[in-house]
């Protein structure tokens, strides 16, 4: 029997992390996501599943604890919000350079700088374009409900371990803080060390006689080897782009117009689409679930059919650039956004849409 | 009374001629060669092998781990 | 040429098998090599090669993993104690150690170092203090002595401008989480023997879960100091040891 519960998105992440057999959580408190660590500490999973939970001295330390845990093949995560995620960028780049799987969660707030503690989606670029140095990508999942915040924990780990690419769950203060019904994933035991060794033969688990020592590093001073490593990583990125695109379509089949929005903005747009439809306007909503890999191909397909596209984001216009790249000038692509922690109403979205009719 | 005699074997290709073993030897056994290894370093060798007692001081201070020490009681 | 004493049956000393045969990239006479050799010997003697995960720093010793034949994770500059924290907590049966220079441990990684020690992580920290940034070409370190010349204090460290040389090991000894804090050197056979005993104790503490152990090794950087290796050893005795005195600071 599935048990329906009422909780915040942040709490759902914590419960899902325990239930999916995570080995460790390392984090530093920051609004609006502190409930994640608070829930974990209250649940005391170290007494049940053996999961380690540790409050680090900074986000910098948190991400390197994640790096250390991941280097030994463990299933580890950290969570933070925008300024904290900025601090983690060095470590995220190092984890990408060392091809380490891990789950990162950004419950976005408005910026730049300290900005605000209110919701925002202004870290889209940071997450999908590589916020740190070097050529790298993060698999980026954008939940639009408490249920998805719970579900994307295990999905994020699965994708991350499959491709050895860190996975970012890019949530925001709306989804993190709102309470909604959720069915938590079933309990799954943590992997045994034997299972870990089978899944992660690359991990630094202690040099046995039957193999060479393993070094987890992003460093190689030989330019030819370094380029090869980069090319191999890029080939995994191409594979992810070819196979892991996820999106949701809402009333798109007969649409003359398309709204593109992710996360909490997509929730608002869904209401806007319903009221516009009631007025007889054939508008659909495409919600990218993976922000990288971006659902560009499906958008290019819709560009053949619709008259224009409108992206709605809680930022100054970030994803709109990827939508424009995807449609390559075929149709106009407009942007409507609010900043500073303001969440627009469906009516505001409808009004913005109607301007372009 | 048994006499202790020692000897050292230097991996002359790994040796960088830092001279630390020469300074560490309590019996002035070691010296740096007048010739060079393929990397261009003078290397450590036993100038006075008869004085070696196999105390391993040279091996203990060698940063490059290129000294083996042998010892016999006669 | 052939010396009858040189026979495998008479062998009394050679480098540990845990130290690889790769020629080290360090300058002639560099203390890093001796410190690596000691760690290798201790791991071999404790028979822990299979259960060891080392954490490499950024600095000259960034390539320690090419020389010590154990599994390694390479940290970003200063972050080794954070990596080691998670590695040890998630793999409590492992022997986990970091190897860090003075820039790594006492400048950019001060926060990670202090908090790992304060939590009493069951790790061993090997701290190489040579008072200079070797890899980047001899710049001032937090531990550079007053008046000591480096490329970023070419007229000698002026404490009015640069502040004072940091006695971070003394600071770490104050923390409740540390169980063993010692300062040693590797410039003579006697000091090598002492340092080896200290490293062994630190590693045993890690396995016994007694808290954090720190073995500072006051070292030379003869290239950075612009001296011969022997001169550097003498200079270290005369100048470094008075400010960074050798011996145990804490053993509980």
């Amino acid at each position: 029997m599935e048990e329906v519960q009422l909780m915040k998105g942040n709490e759902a992440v914590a419960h899902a992390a325990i239930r999916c057999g995570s080995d460790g959580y390392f984090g530093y408190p920051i609004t609006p996501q502190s409930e994640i660590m608070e829930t974990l500490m209250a649940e005391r999973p170290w007494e049940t599943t053996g999961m380690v939970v540790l409050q680090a001295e900074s986000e910098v330390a948190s991400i390197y604890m994640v790096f250390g845990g991941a280097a030994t093949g463990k299933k580890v995560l950290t969570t933070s919000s925008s300024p904290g995620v900025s601090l983690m960028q060095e470590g995220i780049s190092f984890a990408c350079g060392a091809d380490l799987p891990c789950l990162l969660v950004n419950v976005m707030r408005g910026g730049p700088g300290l900005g605000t503690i209110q919701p925002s989606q202004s870290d889209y670029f940071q997450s999908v374009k590589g916020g740190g140095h070097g050529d790298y990508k993060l698999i980026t999942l954008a939940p639009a409900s408490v249920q998805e915040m719970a579900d994307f924990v295990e999905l994020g780990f699965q994708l991350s371990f499959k491709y050895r690419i860190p996975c970012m769950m890019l949530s925001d203060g709306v989804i993190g803080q709102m309470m909604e019904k959720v069915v938590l994933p079933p309990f799954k035991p943590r992997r045994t060390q034997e299972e870990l060794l089978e899944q992660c033969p690359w991990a630094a688990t202690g040099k046995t006689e039957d193999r060479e020592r393993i070094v987890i590093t992003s460093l190689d001073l030989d330019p030819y080897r370094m380029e090869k490593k980069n090319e191999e990583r890029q080939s995994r990125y191409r594979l992810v782009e070819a196979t892991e695109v996820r999106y949701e379509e809402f009333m798109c089949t007969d649409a003359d117009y398309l709204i593109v929005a992710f996360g909490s903005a997509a929730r608002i747009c869904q209401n806007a689409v319903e009221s516009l439809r009631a007025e007889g306007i054939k508008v659909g909503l495409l919600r990218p679930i993976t922000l990288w890999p971006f659902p560009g191909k499906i958008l290019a397909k819709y560009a053949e059919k619709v008259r224009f596209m409108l992206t709605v984001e809680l930022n100054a216009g970030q994803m709109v650039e990827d939508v424009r790249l995807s449609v390559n000038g075929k149709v106009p692509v407009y942007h409507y956004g609010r900043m500073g922690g303001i969440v627009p109403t469906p009516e505001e979205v409808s009004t913005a849409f109607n301007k372009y009719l | 009374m048994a006499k202790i005699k020692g000897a050292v074997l230097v991996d002359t290709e790994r040796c960088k001629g830092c001279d630390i073993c020469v300074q560490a030897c309590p019996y002035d056994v070691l010296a740096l060669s007048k010739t060079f290894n393929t990397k261009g370093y003078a290397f450590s060798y036993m100038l006075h092998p008869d004085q070696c007692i196999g105390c391993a001081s040279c091996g203990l201070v060698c940063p490059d781990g290129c000294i083996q020490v042998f010892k016999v009681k006669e | 040429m052939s010396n009858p004493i040189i026979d495998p049956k008479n062998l009394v000393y050679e480098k540990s098998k845990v130290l690889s045969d790769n020629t080290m990239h360090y300058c002639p006479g560099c203390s890093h090599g001796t410190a690596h050799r000691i760690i290798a010997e201790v791991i071999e003697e404790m028979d822990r090669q299979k259960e060891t995960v080392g954490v490499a720093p950024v600095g000259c010793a960034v390539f320690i993993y090419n020389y010590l034949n154990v599994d390694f994770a390479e940290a970003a500059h200063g972050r080794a104690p954070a990596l080691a924290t998670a590695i040890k907590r998630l793999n409590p049966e492992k022997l986990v150690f970091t190897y860090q220079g003075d820039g790594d441990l006492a400048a950019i990684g001060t926060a990670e170092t202090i908090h790992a020690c304060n939590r009493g992580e069951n790790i061993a920290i090997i701290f190489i203090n040579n008072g200079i940034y070797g890899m980047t070409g001899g710049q001032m370190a937090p531990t550079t002595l007053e008046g000591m010349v480096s490329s970023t204090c070419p007229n000698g460290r002026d404490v009015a401008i640069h502040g004072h040389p940091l006695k971070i090991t003394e600071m770490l000894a104050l923390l409740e989480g540390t169980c063993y804090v010692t300062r040693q050197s590797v410039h003579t056979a006697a000091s090598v023997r002492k340092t080896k005993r200290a490293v062994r104790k630190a590693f045993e503490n890690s396995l016994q879960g007694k808290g954090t152990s720190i073995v500072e090794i006051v070292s030379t950087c003869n290239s950075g100091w612009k001296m011969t290796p022997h001169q550097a050893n003498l200079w270290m005795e005369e100048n470094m040891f008075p400010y960074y005195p050798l011996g145990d600071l804490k053993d509980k």
Side-chain angles (χ1 to χ4, degrees):
Chain A
M1 249 295 272
E2 286 187 335
E3 191 194 349
V4 181
Q5 298 184 58
L6 182 72
M7 65 175 71
K8 289 186 175 192
N10 289 338
E11 294 164 340
V13 167
H15 289 290
I18 299 169
R19 284 168 173 253
C20 80
S22 304
D23 295 306
Y25 172 94
F26 305 91
Y28 188 78
I30 183 171
T31 308
Q33 63 80 55
S34 297
E35 294 86 355
I36 300 176
M37 190 172 14
E38 287 168 357
T39 305
L40 284 166
M41 289 294 186
E43 288 292 315
R44 307 168 72 82
W46 52 91
E47 289 174 355
T48 51
T49 70
M51 178 186 180
V52 168
V53 185
L54 183 61
Q55 178 169 338
E57 64 271 26
S58 68
E59 286 89 351
V60 178
S62 312
I63 190 67
Y64 283 105
M65 288 175 185
V66 164
F67 185 110
T72 62
K74 300 289 183 181
K75 204 167 164 179
V76 285
L77 74 155
T78 185
T79 66
S80 191
S81 179
S82 310
V85 177
S86 291
L87 262 179
M88 290 184 187
Q89 290 304 320
E90 178 201 55
I92 294 173
S93 167
F94 273 62
C96 290
D99 302 312
L100 291 179
C102 56
L103 180 67
L104 319 163
V105 179
N106 181 357
V107 182
M108 285 183 281
R109 55 190 254 186
L114 265 183
T116 171
I117 57 168
Q118 310 292 336
S120 169
Q121 296 182 319
S122 51
D123 304 343
Y124 176 93
F125 282 152
Q126 185 193 52
S127 192
V128 306
K129 306 291 180 192
H133 61 283
D135 285 318
Y136 75 81
K137 290 285 186 188
L138 297 177
I139 296 173
T140 304
L141 300 171
S145 62
V146 171
Q147 185 64 55
E148 282 190 339
M149 275 191 87
D151 294 344
F152 288 0
V153 172
E154 176 59 10
L155 175 65
F157 273 126
Q158 276 175 11
L159 293 171
S160 189
F161 273 85
K162 184 172 177 189
Y163 297 102
R164 288 183 65 188
I165 300 169
C167 180
M168 170 68 81
M169 192 200 300
L170 193 66
S171 185
D172 60 58
V174 176
I175 312 287
Q177 287 294 331
M178 86 182 164
M179 290 184 90
E180 217 172 31
K181 64 178 185 190
V182 57
V183 177
L184 293 173
F187 271 105
K188 194 169 105 174
R190 289 171 53 228
R191 290 164 304 164
T192 62
Q193 192 63 13
E194 289 68 36
E195 287 165 342
L196 184 153
L197 289 171
E198 204 187 316
Q199 187 187 16
C200 310
W202 46 263
T205 50
K207 190 210 165 300
T208 46
E209 273 150 30
D210 56 348
R211 67 157 169 84
E212 292 297 305
R213 72 180 176 285
I214 284 172
V215 178
I216 302 294
T217 181
S218 55
L219 174 71
D220 200 325
L221 295 184
D222 180 310
Y224 296 97
R225 278 204 310 260
M226 193 72 231
E227 188 179 48
K228 279 244 155 355
K229 278 187 182 180
N230 272 291
E231 283 170 351
E232 187 280 323
R233 189 173 305 117
Q234 293 295 328
S235 71
R236 268 182 285 134
Y237 291 165
R238 299 295 88 80
L239 189 61
V240 171
E241 285 168 344
T243 53
E244 301 296 351
V245 173
R246 286 166 167 79
Y247 55 88
E248 187 184 43
E249 292 161 292
F250 180 68
M251 297 191 169
C252 288
T253 335
D254 63 341
D256 292 330
Y257 311 94
L258 197 66
I259 294 179
V260 188
F262 68 95
S264 58
R267 296 277 292 255
I268 299 155
C269 290
Q270 192 170 326
N271 286 356
V273 165
E274 281 168 349
S275 52
L276 288 164
R277 283 268 174 180
E279 292 169 27
I281 301 165
K282 288 208 258 175
V283 56
L285 168 68
L286 191 134
R287 175 173 76 94
I289 294 171
T290 51
L291 300 180
W292 187 84
F294 191 68
K297 277 190 187 147
I298 186 74
L299 285 168
K301 233 176 74 189
Y302 280 115
E304 306 287 345
K305 291 162 58 177
V306 303
R307 287 180 215 161
F308 69 76
M309 294 185 188
L310 173 71
T311 74
V312 178
E313 307 172 61
L314 306 187
N315 60 38
Q318 299 192 13
M319 184 180 68
V320 63
E321 293 191 5
D322 282 334
V323 177
R324 285 185 180 137
L325 281 170
S326 304
V327 307
N328 201 18
K330 268 255 150 56
V331 289
V333 180
Y334 307 111
H335 166 76
Y336 176 68
R338 295 300 301 267
M339 289 176 281
I342 293 173
V343 180
T345 61
E347 292 71 37
E348 283 178 78
V349 172
S350 298
T351 308
F353 175 86
N354 283 326
K355 262 201 332 206
Y356 299 109
L357 272 183
Chain B
M1 202 178 117
K3 197 178 173 214
I4 293 169
K5 293 199 73 175
V8 305
L9 185 62
V10 178
D11 183 338
T12 54
E13 278 308 308
R14 283 167 66 98
C15 178
K16 295 173 186 159
C18 72
D19 196 42
I20 285 182
C21 58
V22 177
Q23 300 294 335
C25 176
Y27 291 95
D28 297 328
V29 175
L30 297 169
L32 290 188
S33 65
K34 300 278 182 283
T35 55
F36 304 101
N37 65 20
T38 53
K39 292 201 176 75
Y41 292 120
F43 48 85
S44 176
Y45 77 107
M46 289 198 288
L47 176 64
H48 302 298
D50 294 345
Q51 295 172 25
C52 181
I53 57 160
C55 72
S57 292
C58 51
L60 286 172
V61 296
C62 174
D64 290 284
C66 48
I67 297 180
Q68 286 181 309
V69 183
F70 302 85
K71 186 153 86 170
V72 289
K73 275 183 190 172
E74 285 183 346
Chain C
M1 183 61 213
S2 77
N3 184 326
I5 304 169
I6 296 176
D7 185 303
K9 70 175 193 292
N10 300 328
L11 186 69
V12 290
Y13 184 82
E14 67 173 342
K15 78 168 183 66
S16 163
K17 302 276 182 292
V18 176
L19 197 72
S20 77
D21 289 329
N22 296 333
T23 302
M24 298 195 219
H25 72 286
Y26 302 117
C27 306
C30 176
S31 309
H32 276 308
T34 316
H36 288 12
R37 226 194 49 235
I38 290 170
I39 294 169
E41 283 174 16
V42 172
I43 292 171
E44 184 179 4
E45 285 167 22
M46 290 173 72
D47 193 19
R48 291 284 173 177
Q49 189 178 18
K50 287 200 284 285
E51 290 96 29
T52 301
V53 180
V55 183
V58 168
C60 285
V62 68
F63 288 124
I64 185 173
Y65 51 71
N66 286 338
Y67 313 128
L68 283 183
N69 199 10
V70 297
D71 280 2
F72 261 99
E74 162 70 52
H77 200 21
R79 316 297 173 223
L83 267 74
T85 293
I87 294 171
K88 181 66 180 179
R89 287 196 180 223
L90 293 163
N91 304 274
E93 75 291 354
K94 294 276 190 291
L95 168 59
V96 181
F97 74 92
T98 71
Y99 186 99
Q100 301 174 261
D102 40 47
D104 194 276
L105 180 137
I108 197 166
T110 315
E112 284 77 6
T113 302
I114 287 179
H115 286 281
C117 288
N118 194 51
R119 288 189 301 263
E121 301 296 343
N122 292 310
I123 58 173
I125 295 176
I126 312 298
F127 166 35
I128 305 296
N129 174 10
N130 56 17
I132 204 159
Y133 284 70
M135 185 181 71
T136 43
Q139 294 83 10
M140 183 180 65
T143 51
T144 298
L145 297 173
E146 184 174 354
M148 187 174 169
V149 170
S150 82
S151 66
T152 50
C153 51
N155 300 314
R157 182 180 190 141
D158 179 347
V159 296
I161 298 171
H162 305 294
H164 300 269
L166 185 60
K167 294 189 176 187
I168 195 160
T169 307
E170 276 81 350
M171 289 165 62
L172 299 177
L174 293 174
L175 303 175
E176 292 296 330
T178 53
C179 62
Y180 177 50
V181 182
T182 189
R183 185 183 280 127
Q184 302 293 339
S185 70
V186 291
H187 66 306
T188 62
S191 65
V192 166
R193 286 192 183 93
K194 275 192 194 165
T195 301
K196 190 172 161 184
R197 281 198 293 273
V199 170
R200 169 123 195 184
K201 188 175 208 165
F203 282 9
E204 281 171 353
N205 287 343
S206 164
L207 289 171
Q208 289 162 13
K210 289 171 78 172
T212 314
S213 298
I214 296 109
V215 180
E216 173 180 342
I217 303 176
V218 183
S219 302
T220 62
C221 174
N222 54 77
S223 295
W225 295 3
K226 314 219 181 310
M227 298 173 193
T228 67
H230 180 57
Q231 281 171 344
N233 279 341
L234 298 178
W235 193 91
M236 174 173 70
E237 284 179 345
E238 211 171 295
N239 298 279
M240 297 279 278
F241 291 174
Y243 195 81
Y244 301 114
L246 304 189
D248 289 351
L249 285 87
K250 182 180 191 177
D251 187 4
K252 76 173 184 191

